[in-house]
Amino acid sequence: MIIPKLALRNMLGAGAKTWLNGAVLSMAFVTIIFAQGLYRGFDAEVSKTLIDAEYGGGQYWVEDYDPYDPFTLQDAHAVPAPPLRALIDAGRAAPILIVQGTLYPAGRVLPVAIKGIDPAQRQLSFPTNVLTASGDGIPALIGSRMAKSAGLAVGDTVTVRWRDVRGAFDAKDLEIVQVMTTTAQTIDEGQVWLPLATLREMAAMPGEATIVVLDRDASPVAAAAGWSFQGLDVLLKDIKDIIKGKTIGASVLYAILLFLAALAILNTQLLSIWRRRKEIGTMMAMGVTRGRVIGLFTFEGALNAVFAAVVGAVWGIPLLAYLAVRGLSMGANQGDSFGIAMSDTMYPSYSAGLVAGTTLLVFLITTIVSYLPARKISKLKPTEALQGRRA
Amino acid sequence: MENGAIIRTTDLTKIYPMGEQSITALKDVSLTFGRGEFAGLVGPSGSGKTTLLNIVGSLDVPSRGSVEVLGHKVETLPHKKAAELRNRHIGFIFQTFNLLPVYTVYENVEFPLLLLGMPAAARRKAVLAALDWVHLADRAKSRPNQLSGGQSQRVAIARAVVKKPELVLADEPTANLDAENSHHILRTMEDINREIKTTFLFSTHDDKVIGHLRRKITLVDGRVAKDEPGAAAKEAR
Ligand SMILES: Nc1ncnc2c1ncn2[C@@H]1O[C@H](COP(=O)(O)OP(=O)(O)OP(=O)(O)O)[C@@H](O)[C@H]1O
Ligand SMILES: [Mg+2]
């Protein structure tokens, strides 16, 4: 009981030094929590974007489909299995047909994935409804990145060439009815969206699809022969891996930063304990045991971490909460350079585990870093400690 | 121990190894101190006064010989037991006061009682009484850096005697004080010695202190050269 009391007294008695320690340590606290929160927010944001724009509640892929191999598209189409058809008919799933093709914008040759989607679908939140606009040509929807790389704008007409189910080439004109701005690069770059019925007709693949996107709250159907279910865990795995990689990279950076901070604290503690060795000798003379010397100075260090947590909470919680609401501007095109979907504004998200973990970590480090010099000094003989700096 | 002897050294020798050579700080010192003594170690610098006080205070151990303090053999006393002995029964007063800088006067005096685990009410009473002895009750809330040298040493005395120890060891307690403060402090210690029968053992060069001693032990080169009644020996016990 006496150790905490004395440690508290020491800390309160130290005044300005305690405040300085608290300020510096709390900075480490808040920075780590903020940076980790940013990655978490990034993760949540990216997942949400991809779920909204592409993955829905998971997808069924026709057997031969491999999103990373355009040549599989030739064979990757089939009429959805009956259980999937039932879901589609009930409006709880959206079939998408994907056909390999080529665009010829202004005399250039641009390989694209032509994707047919039901304009009335409700599974994915991008403006497929514009594909109902009946004009002369075939209505086509593209993303802003695609528009830029192909030099296309709303109202433009562009020739598309494709092979139908029998391998016969055909070509037609598409009319760009809308250029959508989306953070999901994966529904944008290198692809063009057409009405599903039109594409089925063009490719002579009536009733067929390459993938079927489920409602967000739908659970996978029992068995769909010839189709494999891709849950969100699978679909999001790549992106999660990328983020995890970046988080680990960042963690290494934190580890180094924390290590340096720990060294600084260790140095301060060593210095302060060394400067206080006469004080320690005096305590020993009054009957404080070695164990209690260690306990006292370790506790004092740990108390500094607690104090820093409180100080950090006082200025950190409002700041972090404000940033979580207002978001953090990442600057234009920052997202694309990450190579993954990302919006311009990031909203950090903090979990209880994150905050508790960080607190524990800083607490642990501070404690260890206080323990080591305390143990060292406690090995001094009382007479040696008493000889410390004469006042 | 007979006759209320609380310290007995027998052929106490302390040798400090110094590389190839070694320094013999104490050589065959055999001394006995009884309860309530007011005694001083005098002698030239380097004669072993501090070394003897440290060993008697269980802060150090003899190289040879035996030291018995309040029934404990210092040379074999485990670290923890030694700390307990000091905590319960021995008060230290240092030349440089050694107050704990972050504590108030009150907290400094309270420190040994906290270690003893004394209940709060008793603690408060004892601290206030000790501050009264040294006439510093009004400075209870001050910090050490706000005190003069004389006041600091009086706080140190209050801290040393607050637990009413059997023994107070004071190493040159007046070396940093002027004449008036020195006398004041000595009178305070004499009062305490009379009131609670605490044994005081000083080391000193100071004639003012020597004038108050009832027993004067002269050390020369680590040996007891003289052990005689002090100037104040005739005063009533
Ligand atoms: N830790 C130590 N290591 C080596 N030698 C020491 C140590 N402490 C004391 N000595 C030596 O032991 C001898 C006695 O020292 P001590 O401090 O006991 O003398 P003293 O009588 O208290 O002197 P002073 O009046 O100057 O305080 C001296 O020669 C001193 O140099
Ligand atoms: Mg000395």
Side-chain angles (χ1 to χ4, degrees):
Chain A
M1 239 348 265
I2 176 181
I3 294 293
K5 183 170 180 154
L6 291 177
L8 191 68
R9 231 175 230 191
N10 282 351
M11 199 182 84
L12 295 179
K17 188 187 136 236
T18 299
W19 282 102
L20 197 71
N21 269 349
V24 170
L25 258 183
S26 75
M27 221 105 75
F29 257 120
V30 175
T31 307
I32 292 173
I33 290 176
F34 174 68
Q36 293 285 8
L38 208 55
Y39 276 105
R40 233 181 83 93
F42 181 41
D43 186 347
E45 165 86 18
V46 166
S47 301
K48 186 180 174 307
T49 302
L50 287 175
I51 288 168
D52 279 354
E54 197 176 0
Y55 297 148
Q59 300 179 339
Y60 274 92
W61 291 359
V62 73
E63 226 147 43
D64 295 322
Y65 177 59
D66 175 355
Y68 300 108
D69 182 1
F71 296 105
T72 60
L73 287 175
Q74 193 92 5
D75 303 313
H77 53 87
V79 173
L84 294 179
R85 230 158 33 217
L87 277 179
I88 293 167
D89 291 343
R92 298 184 45 71
I96 294 175
L97 178 64
I98 308 175
V99 174
Q100 185 62 24
T102 314
L103 278 193
Y104 296 90
R108 284 165 58 210
V109 181
L110 215 60
V112 289
I114 311 167
K115 295 189 172 178
I117 189 165
D118 179 2
Q121 62 80 27
R122 279 172 291 128
Q123 278 66 38
L124 301 178
S125 54
F126 66 94
T128 52
N129 58 314
V130 300
L131 295 174
T132 50
S134 56
D136 302 335
I138 301 165
L141 168 68
I142 56 173
S144 52
R145 295 175 188 78
M146 180 65 190
K148 200 172 164 208
S149 57
L152 290 170
V154 175
D156 286 356
T157 302
V158 63
T159 305
V160 66
R161 187 164 172 266
W162 75 96
R163 280 167 80 163
D164 69 13
V165 70
R166 288 174 302 276
F169 282 102
D170 200 350
K172 261 189 181 156
D173 279 351
L174 302 180
E175 191 192 339
I176 308 299
V177 291
Q178 183 158 338
V179 174
M180 60 179 169
T181 308
T182 170
T183 55
Q185 196 178 336
T186 43
I187 61 164
D188 180 340
E189 207 102 66
Q191 45 200 290
V192 52
W193 294 86
L194 304 186
L196 179 62
T198 312
L199 185 61
R200 278 175 170 167
E201 201 179 301
M202 285 158 61
M205 299 172 184
E208 296 192 11
T210 306
I211 62 180
V212 175
V213 181
L214 296 189
D215 252 359
R216 235 153 285 175
D217 52 358
S219 41
V221 295
W227 294 75
S228 66
F229 180 68
Q230 313 286 324
L232 285 178
D233 47 338
V234 178
L235 293 170
L236 289 170
K237 187 173 177 302
D238 287 353
I239 206 78
K240 296 250 185 218
D241 283 350
I242 291 175
I243 293 172
K244 197 183 266 168
K246 288 192 187 296
T247 311
I248 289 172
S251 300
V252 171
L253 198 69
Y254 297 150
I256 294 171
L257 279 177
L258 262 168
F259 178 71
L260 290 179
L263 270 189
I265 300 171
L266 178 71
N267 193 42
T268 320
Q269 285 279 357
L270 262 176
L271 205 73
S272 104
I273 287 188
W274 191 246
R275 225 186 263 130
R276 288 168 73 180
R277 69 190 188 281
K278 188 175 139 191
E279 201 180 313
I280 293 166
T282 308
M283 287 184 179
M284 286 172 159
M286 285 193 278
V288 178
T289 57
R290 267 175 209 160
R292 274 184 162 178
V293 167
I294 297 175
L296 180 60
F297 283 85
T298 307
F299 204 95
E300 205 181 309
L303 219 52
N304 272 298
V306 174
F307 180 65
V310 173
V311 172
V314 166
W315 68 268
I317 288 177
L319 179 69
L320 296 190
Y322 171 73
L323 287 176
V325 172
R326 213 212 55 166
L328 212 73
S329 178
M330 304 302 279
N333 291 331
Q334 178 74 30
D336 282 355
S337 67
F338 266 83
I340 41 181
M342 189 167 149
S343 63
D344 288 343
T345 308
M346 294 305 318
Y347 295 89
S349 128
Y350 321 103
S351 68
L354 172 70
V355 174
T358 308
T359 308
L360 203 71
L361 189 69
V362 174
F363 185 79
L364 222 67
I365 287 177
T366 317
T367 307
I368 291 170
V369 140
S370 307
Y371 167 77
L372 295 176
R375 198 189 57 171
K376 195 174 161 175
I377 206 87
S378 78
K379 285 188 178 147
L380 274 185
K381 290 203 283 183
T383 48
E384 291 167 338
L386 274 168
Q387 275 164 7
R389 204 173 60 104
R390 298 262 144 159
Chain B
M1 285 189 201
E2 21 118 54
N3 307 343
I6 63 168
I7 304 169
R8 181 198 303 278
T9 75
T10 314
D11 299 332
L12 164 58
T13 298
K14 179 69 179 181
I15 299 167
Y16 291 112
M18 289 285 283
E20 295 286 278
Q21 295 157 308
S22 60
I23 294 174
T24 304
L26 294 172
K27 180 92 179 105
D28 296 328
V29 174
S30 297
L31 288 167
T32 304
F33 296 91
R35 195 169 296 276
E37 282 205 44
F38 204 76
L41 306 169
V42 302
S45 183
S47 57
K49 304 182 293 292
T50 298
T51 304
L52 181 55
L53 284 186
N54 283 343
I55 294 175
V56 168
S58 81
L59 294 174
D60 209 344
V61 288
S63 308
R64 274 203 309 271
S66 165
V67 178
E68 210 174 321
V69 177
L70 295 161
H72 299 276
K73 282 214 182 301
V74 169
E75 61 271 23
T76 54
L77 205 56
H79 162 78
K80 265 196 166 168
K81 291 275 177 212
E84 197 184 315
L85 171 71
R86 294 195 295 270
N87 185 209
R88 286 191 189 288
H89 304 296
I90 305 177
F92 286 86
I93 297 171
F94 304 93
Q95 178 181 341
T96 53
F97 322 138
N98 292 24
L99 299 180
L100 302 176
V102 300
Y103 295 171
T104 62
V105 164
Y106 184 95
E107 289 166 344
N108 263 283
V109 177
E110 188 188 24
F111 190 92
L113 304 183
L114 275 173
L115 283 183
L116 280 173
M118 187 185 273
R123 218 161 57 213
R124 184 168 176 76
K125 225 176 119 193
V127 173
L128 292 177
L131 285 175
D132 259 346
W133 286 334
V134 298
H135 308 294
L136 277 176
D138 54 330
R139 300 307 297 269
K141 289 200 171 69
S142 303
R143 302 233 171 226
N145 61 9
Q146 300 167 327
L147 301 177
S148 71
Q151 289 170 330
S152 296
Q153 197 60 306
R154 273 145 66 197
V155 175
I157 293 171
R159 181 178 67 181
V161 300
V162 67
K163 61 196 176 194
K164 302 197 172 163
E166 259 85 358
L167 176 63
V168 169
L169 301 170
D171 193 1
E172 319 223 14
T174 59
N176 284 327
L177 301 180
D178 60 20
E180 197 189 322
N181 273 309
S182 299
H183 279 298
H184 189 126
I185 277 177
L186 280 157
R187 275 196 298 276
T188 305
M189 292 196 278
E190 281 173 334
D191 288 347
I192 292 163
N193 169 260
R194 203 173 303 120
E195 257 178 63
I196 58 178
K197 287 281 171 285
T198 293
T199 302
F200 279 80
L201 183 54
F202 298 91
S203 98
T204 188
H205 294 289
D206 186 350
D207 288 336
K208 297 182 290 294
V209 178
I210 294 170
H212 285 261
L213 296 178
R214 291 203 295 269
R215 178 181 175 191
K216 185 172 113 183
I217 295 149
T218 309
L219 291 181
V220 176
D221 289 340
R223 292 172 189 272
V224 178
K226 242 191 243 171
D227 186 351
E228 57 193 338
K234 284 163 286 281
E235 283 172 29
R237 266 273 191 112

